[in-house]
Amino acid sequence: MNSLNRYAGTVYCIMRLVVGLLFACHGGQKILGFPPGGHGAGEGIMLIGAWIELVAGFMIALGLLTRVAAFIASGEMAVAYFMFHLSSSFFAAKGAPINGESAVMYCFVFLFIFFYGPGPLSLDALIWKGSKAATATA
């Protein structure tokens, strides 16, 4: 299994890219109506959440100010779970009308990204090439 360790950084960056783009799609549905299927951003806290999803999702995907974006996105998902998904049941999979399991999953994935850092394939790594990039070491 140690032979797979050399791919860990690359696979982590692919995961960060995919999760960031999926998160940005949620904001895009609410604000831009693209991809189709969104329910609109609404007003107030819902609109703020939609902008966080769109902007932070792209920042995480590109690896730009990754830790800041991941921290804000993780907090937004925690707020989303406790304000909107917890009302019917504490257990995420039982919540109605919308299950809260994706909010919990995003919250903890973004928390992991916050602690791990941007990884080697990121704009953060390119920008701060001269100094040591802020990446967790094993």
Side-chain angles (χ1 to χ4, degrees), residues 38-125:
H39 52 76
E43 298 175 342
I45 197 165
M46 293 289 288
L47 183 61
I48 293 169
W51 278 106
I52 290 172
E53 290 168 2
L54 184 65
V55 174
F58 280 126
M59 289 175 70
I60 291 167
L62 296 173
L64 178 64
L65 299 174
T66 310
R67 289 180 190 252
V68 174
F71 183 75
I72 292 169
S74 178
E76 189 235 344
M77 287 291 94
V79 168
Y81 178 73
F82 286 109
M83 285 187 72
F84 301 106
H85 299 289
L86 186 64
S87 61
S88 61
S89 173
F90 179 76
F91 299 103
K94 191 177 177 191
I98 300 171
N99 293 334
E101 55 203 15
S102 62
V104 173
M105 188 246 348
Y106 274 126
C107 180
F108 281 95
V109 168
F110 292 141
L111 193 63
F112 174 75
I113 291 172
F114 169 69
F115 281 101
Y116 190 85
L121 302 174
S122 64
L123 290 179
D124 285 345

